[in-house]
């Protein structure tokens, strides 16, 4: 009987194996793995083909020792945890940023920082540059996370316009004010005379700008501003319902409402239905976002579409550029009116 000797596992391919297969130097392979700077197109193609053939996988720990980078970035949520599951916009942005970073082979780390205790816990992690940068998402423009990131010397990009607009902070935002103007003009041109609004918080992204867009069109069309037609929510479904009830009590003759988010608009639709009014016959409803909520409501929601994929792509592009040494930048993207059944 012959003894059977188990086969030893084949060692994983190394950077030297890739260089030999591609017929280039180890340094050329290293430069390709770090972005391809100063590498000819032919050598780049040869290295890519060798990596695919050998099944080479980058050793991120080793790369970090050489580049002094973590090789990952953070999706930093300066919000209560439940918002990630309740707000469809955040889920869309998380998916979009993950996809955009995957094209650069950069993992995304989700970090919750909605409470002071959480911020204290993550401060040493960020200060030690355990990630190379952060994509910051929050509903309060004055979030303390901005100060924390600046103190850590970590590149970051905000989703939405920060309170500090000095030019030292990168952000990507939809054109909230012009989007609100577009919706209001649509409602006025449809013959609506008493248009209310449910605004977002003034210190949150889009809150003050969307309210200002509402007022701009009232002035433009010579319609008197009536503070009874303005309510302020917190972008939640419950606040939209509560605000709509208040508006119907204060101004029962209103015939349209511009709501600063689809989630609040869904709550407003519920309040209108419970009040025995119909949409859009009695009251037209316009939202903002074009989130998944907009097509799930009954009736479906006329709204302003934010370009979520472009926002994700631009945030990632800006952050990677900052990591490479570029300065802060601002991007303002256009919105688009999407007409459905509610107005």
């Amino acid at each position: 009987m012959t003894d059977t000797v188990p086969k030893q596992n084949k060692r994983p391919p190394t950077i030297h194996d890739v260089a030999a297969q591609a017929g280039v130097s180890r340094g050329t392979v290293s430069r390709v793995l770090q972005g391809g700077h100063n590498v000819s197109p032919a050598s780049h193609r040869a290295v890519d083909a060798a990596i695919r053939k050998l099944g080479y996988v980058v050793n991120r720990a080793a790369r970090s020792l050489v580049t002094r980078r973590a090789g990952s970035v953070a999706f930093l949520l300066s919000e209560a945890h439940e918002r990630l599951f309740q707000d469809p916009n955040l889920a869309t942005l998380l998916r979009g940023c993950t996809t955009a970073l995957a094209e650069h082979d950069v993992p995304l780390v989700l970090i919750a920082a909605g409470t002071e205790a959480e911020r204290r816990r993550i401060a040493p992690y960020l200060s030690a540059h355990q990630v190379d940068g952060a994509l910051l998402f929050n509903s309060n423009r004055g979030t303390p996370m901005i100060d924390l990131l600046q103190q850590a010397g970590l590149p970051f990009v905000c989703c939405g316009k920060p309170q500090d607009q000095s030019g030292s902070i990168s952000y990507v935002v939809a054109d909230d004010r012009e989007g609100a103007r577009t919706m209001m003009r649509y409602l006025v041109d449809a013959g609506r005379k008493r248009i209310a609004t449910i605004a977002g918080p003034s210190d949150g992204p889009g809150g003050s700008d969307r309210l200002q867009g509402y007022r701009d069109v009232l002035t433009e069309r010579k319609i008197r501003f009536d503070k009874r037609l303005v309510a302020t929510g917190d972008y939640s479904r419950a606040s939209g319902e509560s605000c709509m009830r208040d508006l119907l009590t204060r101004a029962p003759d209103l015939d349209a409402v511009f709501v600063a988010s689809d989630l609040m608009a869904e709550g407003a639709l519920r309040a209108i239905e419970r009040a025995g009014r119909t949409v859009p016959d009695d009251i037209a409803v316009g939202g903002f976002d074009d989130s998944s909520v907009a097509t799930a409501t009954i009736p479906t929601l006329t709204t302003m579409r934010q370009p979520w994929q472009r926002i994700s792509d631009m945030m990632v592009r800006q952050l990677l550029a900052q990591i490479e040494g570029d300065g802060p930048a601002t991007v303002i993207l256009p919105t688009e009116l999407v007409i459905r059944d509610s107005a």
Side-chain angles (χ1 to χ4, degrees):
M1 178 172 164
T2 304
D3 292 336
T4 302
V5 179
K7 289 184 178 180
Q8 297 295 318
N9 290 332
K10 185 179 178 182
R11 67 172 177 81
T14 68
I15 192 171
H16 299 283
D17 298 326
V18 173
Q21 176 69 34
V24 299
S25 70
R26 182 185 180 283
T28 298
V29 177
S30 180
R31 287 194 295 276
V32 169
L33 295 175
Q34 294 177 41
H37 302 294
N38 300 317
V39 178
S40 71
S43 294
H44 204 308
R45 288 193 297 271
V47 171
D48 287 342
I51 287 172
R52 289 193 299 272
K53 182 174 181 178
L54 297 175
Y56 174 73
V57 178
V58 177
N59 184 328
R60 291 189 179 277
R63 181 193 280 186
S64 295
L65 290 174
V66 174
T67 64
R68 297 183 182 276
R69 291 183 182 171
S72 60
V73 301
F75 186 98
L76 194 51
L77 183 62
S78 185
E79 295 280 357
H81 299 176
E82 55 267 22
R83 272 212 66 198
L84 182 60
F85 305 100
Q86 295 173 351
D87 188 338
N89 298 334
L90 283 175
T92 299
L93 288 165
L94 176 59
R95 183 170 59 250
C97 291
T98 301
T99 301
L101 284 165
E103 295 180 5
H104 301 272
D105 195 27
V106 177
L108 187 64
V109 180
L110 175 61
I111 300 178
T115 67
E116 181 58 33
E118 288 171 340
R119 287 189 284 271
R120 283 198 304 270
R121 283 195 294 272
I122 68 168
Y125 180 85
L126 297 177
S127 296
H129 287 213
Q130 297 295 322
V131 290
D132 295 321
L135 302 164
L136 179 59
F137 300 85
N138 65 284
S139 62
N140 188 322
R141 294 192 301 172
T143 174
M145 281 309 309
I146 289 178
D147 290 338
L148 193 155
L149 289 165
Q150 288 178 323
Q151 290 164 11
L154 201 65
F156 68 97
V157 179
C158 295
C159 182
K161 188 187 300 181
Q163 208 164 36
D164 178 5
Q165 300 173 38
S166 63
S168 62
I169 297 175
S170 279
Y171 65 90
V172 179
V173 67
D175 194 339
D176 295 301
R177 188 167 178 173
E178 186 56 35
R181 289 171 179 155
T182 299
M183 177 60 75
M184 281 295 294
R185 288 173 184 139
Y186 173 74
L187 293 172
V188 172
D189 290 343
R192 304 293 170 162
K193 305 296 185 184
R194 292 277 286 166
I195 304 173
T197 187
I198 300 175
S202 60
D203 65 347
S208 57
D209 285 342
R210 293 173 199 176
L211 178 59
Q212 189 56 56
Y214 166 84
R215 298 193 65 162
D216 287 346
V217 174
L218 294 182
T219 301
E220 173 189 297
R221 300 299 179 91
K222 297 180 172 54
I223 301 171
R224 183 177 65 86
F225 173 73
D226 185 346
K227 64 181 181 181
R228 293 176 301 171
L229 293 174
V230 178
T232 302
D234 62 6
Y235 292 125
S236 70
R237 184 183 292 104
S239 73
E241 185 171 2
S242 174
C243 286
M244 194 69 231
R245 284 198 305 267
D246 291 344
L247 288 169
L248 289 170
T249 299
R250 296 200 304 257
D253 60 336
L254 68 87
D255 60 4
V257 58
F258 163 49
V259 190
S261 82
D262 291 349
L263 207 55
M264 290 198 297
E266 183 182 23
L269 288 170
R270 186 180 303 171
I272 293 168
E273 180 183 12
R274 289 179 175 175
R277 313 283 286 277
T278 61
V279 176
D281 294 341
D282 297 330
I283 301 174
V285 178
F288 204 106
D289 288 335
D290 197 29
S291 66
S292 57
V293 169
T295 54
T297 59
I298 302 174
T300 55
L301 192 62
T302 292
T303 188
M304 296 305 302
R305 174 176 293 159
Q306 294 205 59
W308 296 115
Q309 188 58 57
R310 289 187 65 193
I311 290 172
S312 299
D313 290 345
M314 291 306 302
M315 289 186 69
V316 166
R317 184 184 300 181
Q318 278 196 37
L319 183 61
L320 295 180
Q322 280 191 65
I323 291 170
E324 292 297 328
D326 288 0
T330 295
V331 177
I332 301 174
L333 298 170
T335 57
E336 176 188 356
L337 175 64
V338 180
I339 300 171
R340 297 193 179 96
D341 298 331
S342 68

